[in-house]
mmCIF file of all heavy atoms in Angstrom:
data_model
loop_
_atom_site.group_PDB
_atom_site.id
_atom_site.type_symbol
_atom_site.label_atom_id
_atom_site.label_comp_id
_atom_site.label_asym_id
_atom_site.label_seq_id
_atom_site.Cartn_x
_atom_site.Cartn_y
_atom_site.Cartn_z
ATOM 1 N N MET A 109 11.633 -5.291 4.063
ATOM 2 C CA MET A 109 10.846 -4.113 3.830
ATOM 3 C C MET A 109 9.597 -4.147 4.706
ATOM 4 O O MET A 109 8.975 -5.208 4.842
ATOM 5 C CB MET A 109 10.424 -4.026 2.353
ATOM 6 C CG MET A 109 9.370 -2.968 2.099
ATOM 7 S SD MET A 109 8.726 -2.971 0.422
ATOM 8 C CE MET A 109 10.076 -2.162 -0.386
ATOM 9 N N GLN A 110 9.252 -3.015 5.273
ATOM 10 C CA GLN A 110 8.073 -2.890 6.098
ATOM 11 C C GLN A 110 7.153 -1.853 5.424
ATOM 12 O O GLN A 110 7.596 -0.762 5.063
ATOM 13 C CB GLN A 110 8.458 -2.412 7.485
ATOM 14 C CG GLN A 110 7.328 -2.266 8.436
ATOM 15 C CD GLN A 110 6.804 -3.596 8.962
ATOM 16 O OE1 GLN A 110 7.486 -4.600 8.935
ATOM 17 N NE2 GLN A 110 5.554 -3.609 9.387
ATOM 18 N N VAL A 111 5.894 -2.211 5.217
ATOM 19 C CA VAL A 111 4.904 -1.301 4.581
ATOM 20 C C VAL A 111 3.871 -0.889 5.616
ATOM 21 O O VAL A 111 3.369 -1.789 6.347
ATOM 22 C CB VAL A 111 4.224 -1.990 3.400
ATOM 23 C CG1 VAL A 111 3.158 -1.106 2.801
ATOM 24 C CG2 VAL A 111 5.275 -2.331 2.318
ATOM 25 N N THR A 112 3.566 0.398 5.664
ATOM 26 C CA THR A 112 2.521 0.891 6.547
ATOM 27 C C THR A 112 1.669 1.890 5.762
ATOM 28 O O THR A 112 2.115 2.439 4.764
ATOM 29 C CB THR A 112 3.092 1.590 7.790
ATOM 30 O OG1 THR A 112 3.951 2.668 7.364
ATOM 31 C CG2 THR A 112 3.885 0.616 8.666
ATOM 32 N N ILE A 113 0.459 2.103 6.259
ATOM 33 C CA ILE A 113 -0.434 3.118 5.715
ATOM 34 C C ILE A 113 -0.803 4.054 6.854
ATOM 35 O O ILE A 113 -1.381 3.614 7.863
ATOM 36 C CB ILE A 113 -1.689 2.502 5.090
ATOM 37 C CG1 ILE A 113 -1.310 1.527 3.975
ATOM 38 C CG2 ILE A 113 -2.612 3.594 4.563
ATOM 39 C CD1 ILE A 113 -2.482 0.808 3.343
ATOM 40 N N GLU A 114 -0.502 5.329 6.670
ATOM 41 C CA GLU A 114 -0.829 6.317 7.682
ATOM 42 C C GLU A 114 -2.280 6.765 7.495
ATOM 43 O O GLU A 114 -2.867 6.562 6.420
ATOM 44 C CB GLU A 114 0.118 7.516 7.526
ATOM 45 C CG GLU A 114 1.571 7.168 7.745
ATOM 46 C CD GLU A 114 2.505 8.313 7.486
ATOM 47 O OE1 GLU A 114 2.061 9.361 6.939
ATOM 48 O OE2 GLU A 114 3.675 8.163 7.774
ATOM 49 N N PRO A 115 -2.882 7.394 8.497
ATOM 50 C CA PRO A 115 -4.249 7.934 8.322
ATOM 51 C C PRO A 115 -4.273 8.921 7.153
ATOM 52 O O PRO A 115 -3.321 9.630 6.897
ATOM 53 C CB PRO A 115 -4.497 8.615 9.658
ATOM 54 C CG PRO A 115 -3.582 7.963 10.626
ATOM 55 C CD PRO A 115 -2.354 7.612 9.854
ATOM 56 N N GLY A 116 -5.382 8.947 6.478
ATOM 57 C CA GLY A 116 -5.569 9.881 5.398
ATOM 58 C C GLY A 116 -5.834 9.237 4.043
ATOM 59 O O GLY A 116 -5.958 9.914 3.031
ATOM 60 N N CYS A 117 -5.947 7.899 4.049
ATOM 61 C CA CYS A 117 -6.274 7.204 2.795
ATOM 62 C C CYS A 117 -7.568 7.742 2.209
ATOM 63 O O CYS A 117 -8.543 7.986 2.940
ATOM 64 C CB CYS A 117 -6.414 5.697 3.076
ATOM 65 S SG CYS A 117 -6.964 4.734 1.668
ATOM 66 N N ILE A 118 -7.597 7.937 0.891
ATOM 67 C CA ILE A 118 -8.783 8.440 0.233
ATOM 68 C C ILE A 118 -9.548 7.341 -0.511
ATOM 69 O O ILE A 118 -10.574 7.604 -1.156
ATOM 70 C CB ILE A 118 -8.445 9.602 -0.738
ATOM 71 C CG1 ILE A 118 -7.502 9.121 -1.864
ATOM 72 C CG2 ILE A 118 -7.901 10.787 0.034
ATOM 73 C CD1 ILE A 118 -7.226 10.150 -2.925
ATOM 74 N N GLY A 119 -9.103 6.109 -0.445
ATOM 75 C CA GLY A 119 -9.820 4.985 -1.007
ATOM 76 C C GLY A 119 -9.788 4.915 -2.518
ATOM 77 O O GLY A 119 -10.723 4.395 -3.126
ATOM 78 N N CYS A 120 -8.712 5.347 -3.137
ATOM 79 C CA CYS A 120 -8.658 5.378 -4.610
ATOM 80 C C CYS A 120 -8.435 4.003 -5.224
ATOM 81 O O CYS A 120 -8.644 3.834 -6.436
ATOM 82 C CB CYS A 120 -7.559 6.337 -5.059
ATOM 83 S SG CYS A 120 -5.898 5.730 -4.847
ATOM 84 N N THR A 121 -7.998 3.026 -4.493
ATOM 85 C CA THR A 121 -7.706 1.643 -4.887
ATOM 86 C C THR A 121 -6.433 1.448 -5.720
ATOM 87 O O THR A 121 -6.130 0.358 -6.164
ATOM 88 C CB THR A 121 -8.894 0.964 -5.639
ATOM 89 O OG1 THR A 121 -9.005 1.484 -6.963
ATOM 90 C CG2 THR A 121 -10.199 1.123 -4.884
ATOM 91 N N LEU A 122 -5.664 2.504 -5.948
ATOM 92 C CA LEU A 122 -4.459 2.384 -6.752
ATOM 93 C C LEU A 122 -3.464 1.372 -6.137
ATOM 94 O O LEU A 122 -2.899 0.545 -6.855
ATOM 95 C CB LEU A 122 -3.776 3.747 -6.899
ATOM 96 C CG LEU A 122 -2.532 3.769 -7.782
ATOM 97 C CD1 LEU A 122 -2.876 3.415 -9.228
ATOM 98 C CD2 LEU A 122 -1.868 5.131 -7.718
ATOM 99 N N CYS A 123 -3.272 1.415 -4.842
ATOM 100 C CA CYS A 123 -2.327 0.496 -4.213
ATOM 101 C C CYS A 123 -2.756 -0.969 -4.373
ATOM 102 O O CYS A 123 -1.951 -1.831 -4.680
ATOM 103 C CB CYS A 123 -2.108 0.852 -2.755
ATOM 104 S SG CYS A 123 -3.584 0.802 -1.732
ATOM 105 N N ALA A 124 -4.037 -1.237 -4.143
ATOM 106 C CA ALA A 124 -4.531 -2.582 -4.280
ATOM 107 C C ALA A 124 -4.464 -3.075 -5.727
ATOM 108 O O ALA A 124 -4.236 -4.261 -5.957
ATOM 109 C CB ALA A 124 -5.966 -2.657 -3.745
ATOM 110 N N SER A 125 -4.604 -2.182 -6.668
ATOM 111 C CA SER A 125 -4.478 -2.549 -8.062
ATOM 112 C C SER A 125 -3.033 -2.802 -8.460
ATOM 113 O O SER A 125 -2.731 -3.682 -9.224
ATOM 114 C CB SER A 125 -5.065 -1.457 -8.972
ATOM 115 O OG SER A 125 -6.439 -1.289 -8.722
ATOM 116 N N THR A 126 -2.129 -1.986 -7.904
ATOM 117 C CA THR A 126 -0.724 -2.089 -8.231
ATOM 118 C C THR A 126 -0.036 -3.277 -7.557
ATOM 119 O O THR A 126 0.791 -3.940 -8.172
ATOM 120 C CB THR A 126 0.013 -0.801 -7.780
ATOM 121 O OG1 THR A 126 -0.578 0.321 -8.443
ATOM 122 C CG2 THR A 126 1.492 -0.817 -8.120
ATOM 123 N N CYS A 127 -0.436 -3.567 -6.322
ATOM 124 C CA CYS A 127 0.220 -4.640 -5.572
ATOM 125 C C CYS A 127 -0.819 -5.345 -4.695
ATOM 126 O O CYS A 127 -0.841 -5.209 -3.465
ATOM 127 C CB CYS A 127 1.343 -4.032 -4.707
ATOM 128 S SG CYS A 127 2.391 -5.252 -3.924
ATOM 129 N N PRO A 128 -1.659 -6.181 -5.317
ATOM 130 C CA PRO A 128 -2.694 -6.863 -4.567
ATOM 131 C C PRO A 128 -2.192 -7.884 -3.557
ATOM 132 O O PRO A 128 -2.951 -8.279 -2.653
ATOM 133 C CB PRO A 128 -3.536 -7.524 -5.669
ATOM 134 C CG PRO A 128 -2.635 -7.640 -6.851
ATOM 135 C CD PRO A 128 -1.683 -6.450 -6.759
ATOM 136 N N ALA A 129 -0.955 -8.329 -3.680
ATOM 137 C CA ALA A 129 -0.392 -9.257 -2.703
ATOM 138 C C ALA A 129 -0.170 -8.588 -1.344
ATOM 139 O O ALA A 129 -0.111 -9.238 -0.326
ATOM 140 C CB ALA A 129 0.893 -9.855 -3.215
ATOM 141 N N VAL A 130 -0.058 -7.262 -1.356
ATOM 142 C CA VAL A 130 0.264 -6.511 -0.138
ATOM 143 C C VAL A 130 -0.918 -5.675 0.337
ATOM 144 O O VAL A 130 -1.208 -5.611 1.547
ATOM 145 C CB VAL A 130 1.490 -5.600 -0.357
ATOM 146 C CG1 VAL A 130 1.747 -4.728 0.861
ATOM 147 C CG2 VAL A 130 2.700 -6.453 -0.685
ATOM 148 N N PHE A 131 -1.665 -5.064 -0.579
ATOM 149 C CA PHE A 131 -2.733 -4.129 -0.184
ATOM 150 C C PHE A 131 -4.115 -4.679 -0.543
ATOM 151 O O PHE A 131 -4.286 -5.368 -1.555
ATOM 152 C CB PHE A 131 -2.549 -2.801 -0.927
ATOM 153 C CG PHE A 131 -1.212 -2.137 -0.634
ATOM 154 C CD1 PHE A 131 -0.202 -2.250 -1.543
ATOM 155 C CD2 PHE A 131 -1.016 -1.443 0.544
ATOM 156 C CE1 PHE A 131 1.032 -1.646 -1.289
ATOM 157 C CE2 PHE A 131 0.210 -0.840 0.787
ATOM 158 C CZ PHE A 131 1.223 -0.938 -0.131
ATOM 159 N N GLU A 132 -5.088 -4.345 0.294
ATOM 160 C CA GLU A 132 -6.468 -4.667 0.003
ATOM 161 C C GLU A 132 -7.354 -3.527 0.526
ATOM 162 O O GLU A 132 -6.879 -2.723 1.377
ATOM 163 C CB GLU A 132 -6.910 -6.006 0.577
ATOM 164 C CG GLU A 132 -6.902 -6.054 2.094
ATOM 165 C CD GLU A 132 -7.240 -7.440 2.642
ATOM 166 O OE1 GLU A 132 -7.212 -8.410 1.852
ATOM 167 O OE2 GLU A 132 -7.552 -7.526 3.830
ATOM 168 N N MET A 133 -8.563 -3.477 0.090
ATOM 169 C CA MET A 133 -9.485 -2.453 0.544
ATOM 170 C C MET A 133 -10.328 -3.062 1.646
ATOM 171 O O MET A 133 -10.813 -4.191 1.540
ATOM 172 C CB MET A 133 -10.355 -1.953 -0.611
ATOM 173 C CG MET A 133 -9.571 -1.464 -1.806
ATOM 174 S SD MET A 133 -8.299 -0.266 -1.439
ATOM 175 C CE MET A 133 -9.258 1.165 -1.069
ATOM 176 N N ASP A 134 -10.555 -2.322 2.708
ATOM 177 C CA ASP A 134 -11.364 -2.830 3.823
ATOM 178 C C ASP A 134 -12.846 -2.559 3.577
ATOM 179 O O ASP A 134 -13.235 -2.007 2.549
ATOM 180 C CB ASP A 134 -10.855 -2.255 5.189
ATOM 181 C CG ASP A 134 -11.075 -0.760 5.353
ATOM 182 O OD1 ASP A 134 -11.883 -0.156 4.583
ATOM 183 O OD2 ASP A 134 -10.500 -0.190 6.288
ATOM 184 N N ALA A 135 -13.669 -2.902 4.528
ATOM 185 C CA ALA A 135 -15.102 -2.782 4.397
ATOM 186 C C ALA A 135 -15.572 -1.313 4.282
ATOM 187 O O ALA A 135 -16.615 -1.019 3.734
ATOM 188 C CB ALA A 135 -15.835 -3.438 5.594
ATOM 189 N N GLU A 136 -14.722 -0.409 4.741
ATOM 190 C CA GLU A 136 -15.040 1.018 4.661
ATOM 191 C C GLU A 136 -14.507 1.666 3.380
ATOM 192 O O GLU A 136 -14.642 2.851 3.190
ATOM 193 C CB GLU A 136 -14.486 1.749 5.907
ATOM 194 C CG GLU A 136 -15.123 1.274 7.182
ATOM 195 C CD GLU A 136 -14.403 1.767 8.415
ATOM 196 O OE1 GLU A 136 -13.351 2.426 8.313
ATOM 197 O OE2 GLU A 136 -14.905 1.468 9.525
ATOM 198 N N GLY A 137 -13.867 0.841 2.557
ATOM 199 C CA GLY A 137 -13.339 1.355 1.280
ATOM 200 C C GLY A 137 -11.989 2.009 1.397
ATOM 201 O O GLY A 137 -11.549 2.726 0.471
ATOM 202 N N LEU A 138 -11.275 1.756 2.488
ATOM 203 C CA LEU A 138 -9.944 2.304 2.683
ATOM 204 C C LEU A 138 -8.903 1.209 2.564
ATOM 205 O O LEU A 138 -9.183 0.029 2.864
ATOM 206 C CB LEU A 138 -9.857 2.993 4.043
ATOM 207 C CG LEU A 138 -10.836 4.117 4.304
ATOM 208 C CD1 LEU A 138 -10.695 4.632 5.721
ATOM 209 C CD2 LEU A 138 -10.657 5.235 3.262
ATOM 210 N N ALA A 139 -7.725 1.566 2.156
ATOM 211 C CA ALA A 139 -6.663 0.603 1.983
ATOM 212 C C ALA A 139 -6.115 0.123 3.323
ATOM 213 O O ALA A 139 -6.083 0.871 4.303
ATOM 214 C CB ALA A 139 -5.511 1.217 1.172
ATOM 215 N N ARG A 140 -5.699 -1.139 3.321
ATOM 216 C CA ARG A 140 -5.018 -1.694 4.469
ATOM 217 C C ARG A 140 -3.949 -2.633 3.982
ATOM 218 O O ARG A 140 -4.006 -3.145 2.846
ATOM 219 C CB ARG A 140 -5.997 -2.386 5.427
ATOM 220 C CG ARG A 140 -6.516 -3.676 4.956
ATOM 221 C CD ARG A 140 -7.377 -4.356 6.067
ATOM 222 N NE ARG A 140 -7.411 -5.805 5.892
ATOM 223 C CZ ARG A 140 -6.553 -6.644 6.432
ATOM 224 N NH1 ARG A 140 -5.565 -6.217 7.187
ATOM 225 N NH2 ARG A 140 -6.654 -7.934 6.225
ATOM 226 N N VAL A 141 -2.956 -2.865 4.820
ATOM 227 C CA VAL A 141 -1.880 -3.814 4.498
ATOM 228 C C VAL A 141 -2.400 -5.210 4.829
ATOM 229 O O VAL A 141 -2.686 -5.508 5.966
ATOM 230 C CB VAL A 141 -0.609 -3.478 5.284
ATOM 231 C CG1 VAL A 141 0.466 -4.513 4.982
ATOM 232 C CG2 VAL A 141 -0.102 -2.073 4.940
ATOM 233 N N ALA A 142 -2.531 -6.028 3.776
ATOM 234 C CA ALA A 142 -2.995 -7.408 3.959
ATOM 235 C C ALA A 142 -1.865 -8.322 4.351
ATOM 236 O O ALA A 142 -2.073 -9.259 5.120
ATOM 237 C CB ALA A 142 -3.623 -7.886 2.672
ATOM 238 N N ALA A 143 -0.646 -8.041 3.848
ATOM 239 C CA ALA A 143 0.527 -8.847 4.153
ATOM 240 C C ALA A 143 1.733 -8.012 3.839
ATOM 241 O O ALA A 143 1.734 -7.174 2.934
ATOM 242 C CB ALA A 143 0.536 -10.112 3.327
ATOM 243 N N GLN A 144 2.801 -8.261 4.572
ATOM 244 C CA GLN A 144 4.043 -7.534 4.270
ATOM 245 C C GLN A 144 4.646 -8.141 2.989
ATOM 246 O O GLN A 144 4.493 -9.363 2.739
ATOM 247 C CB GLN A 144 5.041 -7.632 5.424
ATOM 248 C CG GLN A 144 4.605 -6.861 6.657
ATOM 249 C CD GLN A 144 4.490 -5.352 6.385
ATOM 250 O OE1 GLN A 144 5.297 -4.774 5.653
ATOM 251 N NE2 GLN A 144 3.437 -4.748 6.897
ATOM 252 N N PRO A 145 5.295 -7.324 2.186
ATOM 253 C CA PRO A 145 5.820 -7.841 0.915
ATOM 254 C C PRO A 145 6.976 -8.816 1.063
ATOM 255 O O PRO A 145 7.871 -8.593 1.891
ATOM 256 C CB PRO A 145 6.254 -6.586 0.177
ATOM 257 C CG PRO A 145 6.516 -5.591 1.223
ATOM 258 C CD PRO A 145 5.568 -5.909 2.351
ATOM 259 N N GLY A 146 6.939 -9.828 0.252
ATOM 260 C CA GLY A 146 8.071 -10.738 0.121
ATOM 261 C C GLY A 146 8.981 -10.136 -0.969
ATOM 262 O O GLY A 146 8.638 -9.095 -1.579
ATOM 263 N N PRO A 147 10.126 -10.713 -1.204
ATOM 264 C CA PRO A 147 11.044 -10.167 -2.175
ATOM 265 C C PRO A 147 10.438 -9.953 -3.560
ATOM 266 O O PRO A 147 10.738 -8.937 -4.220
ATOM 267 C CB PRO A 147 12.143 -11.229 -2.243
ATOM 268 C CG PRO A 147 12.106 -11.897 -0.913
ATOM 269 C CD PRO A 147 10.656 -11.909 -0.515
ATOM 270 N N ALA A 148 9.529 -10.801 -3.965
ATOM 271 C CA ALA A 148 8.941 -10.670 -5.315
ATOM 272 C C ALA A 148 7.949 -9.512 -5.387
ATOM 273 O O ALA A 148 7.655 -9.043 -6.499
ATOM 274 C CB ALA A 148 8.202 -11.977 -5.677
ATOM 275 N N ASP A 149 7.489 -9.010 -4.236
ATOM 276 C CA ASP A 149 6.466 -7.931 -4.225
ATOM 277 C C ASP A 149 7.033 -6.572 -3.831
ATOM 278 O O ASP A 149 6.321 -5.583 -3.851
ATOM 279 C CB ASP A 149 5.342 -8.302 -3.220
ATOM 280 C CG ASP A 149 4.648 -9.550 -3.618
ATOM 281 O OD1 ASP A 149 4.276 -9.693 -4.822
ATOM 282 O OD2 ASP A 149 4.452 -10.415 -2.718
ATOM 283 N N GLU A 150 8.319 -6.495 -3.511
ATOM 284 C CA GLU A 150 8.887 -5.257 -3.028
ATOM 285 C C GLU A 150 8.822 -4.151 -4.090
ATOM 286 O O GLU A 150 8.481 -2.992 -3.770
ATOM 287 C CB GLU A 150 10.315 -5.431 -2.543
ATOM 288 C CG GLU A 150 10.370 -6.168 -1.221
ATOM 289 C CD GLU A 150 11.753 -6.287 -0.660
ATOM 290 O OE1 GLU A 150 12.736 -5.791 -1.270
ATOM 291 O OE2 GLU A 150 11.882 -6.902 0.420
ATOM 292 N N GLU A 151 9.114 -4.445 -5.324
ATOM 293 C CA GLU A 151 9.098 -3.390 -6.374
ATOM 294 C C GLU A 151 7.697 -2.833 -6.536
ATOM 295 O O GLU A 151 7.484 -1.613 -6.599
ATOM 296 C CB GLU A 151 9.608 -3.930 -7.697
ATOM 297 C CG GLU A 151 9.679 -2.893 -8.776
ATOM 298 C CD GLU A 151 10.283 -3.421 -10.083
ATOM 299 O OE1 GLU A 151 11.004 -4.442 -10.045
ATOM 300 O OE2 GLU A 151 10.012 -2.815 -11.108
ATOM 301 N N ALA A 152 6.696 -3.701 -6.564
ATOM 302 C CA ALA A 152 5.297 -3.249 -6.738
ATOM 303 C C ALA A 152 4.858 -2.462 -5.509
ATOM 304 O O ALA A 152 4.116 -1.489 -5.646
ATOM 305 C CB ALA A 152 4.380 -4.466 -6.958
ATOM 306 N N ALA A 153 5.287 -2.848 -4.302
ATOM 307 C CA ALA A 153 4.913 -2.126 -3.094
ATOM 308 C C ALA A 153 5.530 -0.712 -3.122
ATOM 309 O O ALA A 153 4.889 0.254 -2.746
ATOM 310 C CB ALA A 153 5.383 -2.897 -1.859
ATOM 311 N N ARG A 154 6.794 -0.610 -3.550
ATOM 312 C CA ARG A 154 7.427 0.711 -3.692
ATOM 313 C C ARG A 154 6.694 1.556 -4.718
ATOM 314 O O ARG A 154 6.530 2.778 -4.523
ATOM 315 C CB ARG A 154 8.883 0.553 -4.086
ATOM 316 C CG ARG A 154 9.781 0.165 -2.951
ATOM 317 C CD ARG A 154 11.279 0.283 -3.320
ATOM 318 N NE ARG A 154 12.089 -0.197 -2.255
ATOM 319 C CZ ARG A 154 12.551 -1.417 -2.133
ATOM 320 N NH1 ARG A 154 12.285 -2.319 -3.064
ATOM 321 N NH2 ARG A 154 13.305 -1.786 -1.109
ATOM 322 N N GLU A 155 6.293 0.950 -5.818
ATOM 323 C CA GLU A 155 5.545 1.665 -6.862
ATOM 324 C C GLU A 155 4.218 2.180 -6.296
ATOM 325 O O GLU A 155 3.821 3.349 -6.525
ATOM 326 C CB GLU A 155 5.285 0.772 -8.039
ATOM 327 C CG GLU A 155 4.547 1.463 -9.166
ATOM 328 C CD GLU A 155 4.292 0.536 -10.362
ATOM 329 O OE1 GLU A 155 4.971 -0.505 -10.483
ATOM 330 O OE2 GLU A 155 3.431 0.875 -11.154
ATOM 331 N N ALA A 156 3.528 1.340 -5.541
ATOM 332 C CA ALA A 156 2.255 1.772 -4.931
ATOM 333 C C ALA A 156 2.467 2.948 -3.971
ATOM 334 O O ALA A 156 1.689 3.906 -3.986
ATOM 335 C CB ALA A 156 1.626 0.618 -4.170
ATOM 336 N N ALA A 157 3.538 2.899 -3.176
ATOM 337 C CA ALA A 157 3.826 3.984 -2.269
ATOM 338 C C ALA A 157 4.154 5.275 -3.023
ATOM 339 O O ALA A 157 3.697 6.341 -2.661
ATOM 340 C CB ALA A 157 4.976 3.586 -1.350
ATOM 341 N N ALA A 158 4.950 5.156 -4.059
ATOM 342 C CA ALA A 158 5.370 6.342 -4.819
ATOM 343 C C ALA A 158 4.197 6.984 -5.527
ATOM 344 O O ALA A 158 4.180 8.201 -5.718
ATOM 345 C CB ALA A 158 6.440 5.954 -5.803
ATOM 346 N N ASN A 159 3.210 6.169 -5.938
ATOM 347 C CA ASN A 159 2.098 6.716 -6.718
ATOM 348 C C ASN A 159 0.842 7.016 -5.902
ATOM 349 O O ASN A 159 -0.148 7.464 -6.458
ATOM 350 C CB ASN A 159 1.745 5.741 -7.837
ATOM 351 C CG ASN A 159 2.847 5.670 -8.867
ATOM 352 O OD1 ASN A 159 3.458 6.666 -9.195
ATOM 353 N ND2 ASN A 159 3.138 4.464 -9.352
ATOM 354 N N CYS A 160 0.873 6.807 -4.609
ATOM 355 C CA CYS A 160 -0.271 7.077 -3.750
ATOM 356 C C CYS A 160 -0.627 8.558 -3.795
ATOM 357 O O CYS A 160 0.188 9.429 -3.424
ATOM 358 C CB CYS A 160 0.030 6.682 -2.312
ATOM 359 S SG CYS A 160 -1.285 7.063 -1.145
ATOM 360 N N PRO A 161 -1.826 8.915 -4.276
ATOM 361 C CA PRO A 161 -2.180 10.333 -4.375
ATOM 362 C C PRO A 161 -2.338 11.036 -3.025
ATOM 363 O O PRO A 161 -2.172 12.251 -2.961
ATOM 364 C CB PRO A 161 -3.515 10.323 -5.168
ATOM 365 C CG PRO A 161 -4.071 8.979 -4.955
ATOM 366 C CD PRO A 161 -2.885 8.032 -4.786
ATOM 367 N N ALA A 162 -2.588 10.265 -1.991
ATOM 368 C CA ALA A 162 -2.688 10.871 -0.643
ATOM 369 C C ALA A 162 -1.350 10.872 0.106
ATOM 370 O O ALA A 162 -1.248 11.418 1.178
ATOM 371 C CB ALA A 162 -3.742 10.114 0.180
ATOM 372 N N ASN A 163 -0.342 10.204 -0.488
ATOM 373 C CA ASN A 163 0.999 10.131 0.095
ATOM 374 C C ASN A 163 0.988 9.570 1.505
ATOM 375 O O ASN A 163 1.640 10.113 2.398
ATOM 376 C CB ASN A 163 1.680 11.487 0.036
ATOM 377 C CG ASN A 163 3.167 11.413 0.267
ATOM 378 O OD1 ASN A 163 3.775 10.397 -0.091
ATOM 379 N ND2 ASN A 163 3.735 12.442 0.836
ATOM 380 N N VAL A 164 0.215 8.478 1.728
ATOM 381 C CA VAL A 164 0.109 7.908 3.088
ATOM 382 C C VAL A 164 0.740 6.528 3.192
ATOM 383 O O VAL A 164 0.769 5.954 4.282
ATOM 384 C CB VAL A 164 -1.353 7.849 3.567
ATOM 385 C CG1 VAL A 164 -1.948 9.224 3.661
ATOM 386 C CG2 VAL A 164 -2.206 6.983 2.615
ATOM 387 N N ILE A 165 1.305 6.002 2.110
ATOM 388 C CA ILE A 165 1.924 4.670 2.192
ATOM 389 C C ILE A 165 3.423 4.831 2.370
ATOM 390 O O ILE A 165 4.065 5.612 1.661
ATOM 391 C CB ILE A 165 1.688 3.859 0.898
ATOM 392 C CG1 ILE A 165 0.171 3.696 0.687
ATOM 393 C CG2 ILE A 165 2.412 2.527 0.928
ATOM 394 C CD1 ILE A 165 -0.177 3.044 -0.632
ATOM 395 N N ARG A 166 3.935 4.094 3.356
ATOM 396 C CA ARG A 166 5.398 4.100 3.594
ATOM 397 C C ARG A 166 5.910 2.710 3.341
ATOM 398 O O ARG A 166 5.392 1.700 3.860
ATOM 399 C CB ARG A 166 5.688 4.486 5.061
ATOM 400 C CG ARG A 166 5.140 5.851 5.446
ATOM 401 C CD ARG A 166 5.911 6.980 4.753
ATOM 402 N NE ARG A 166 5.244 8.250 4.987
ATOM 403 C CZ ARG A 166 4.534 8.924 4.085
ATOM 404 N NH1 ARG A 166 4.363 8.425 2.847
ATOM 405 N NH2 ARG A 166 3.957 10.070 4.364
ATOM 406 N N ALA A 167 6.950 2.603 2.537
ATOM 407 C CA ALA A 167 7.616 1.348 2.239
ATOM 408 C C ALA A 167 9.087 1.546 2.550
ATOM 409 O O ALA A 167 9.812 2.160 1.826
ATOM 410 C CB ALA A 167 7.406 0.947 0.798
ATOM 411 N N GLU A 168 9.506 1.003 3.704
ATOM 412 C CA GLU A 168 10.878 1.242 4.167
ATOM 413 C C GLU A 168 11.563 -0.066 4.498
ATOM 414 O O GLU A 168 10.977 -1.010 4.886
ATOM 415 C CB GLU A 168 10.882 2.118 5.409
ATOM 416 C CG GLU A 168 10.190 3.456 5.148
ATOM 417 C CD GLU A 168 9.945 4.252 6.397
ATOM 418 O OE1 GLU A 168 9.924 3.663 7.494
ATOM 419 O OE2 GLU A 168 9.747 5.465 6.246
#
């Protein structure tokens, strides 16, 4: 699985709360991919993508 974040993050922190192994907030308060998900984190990464209010996370 490959996770990306497209431009348009609103900094809600939902992804980092849902899957902290993959997402973190940067110094500007926007989400970034800290690490690609391993097998144990794939479900949480998909959940973060599905629940992103800005619809900018892709988990493919």
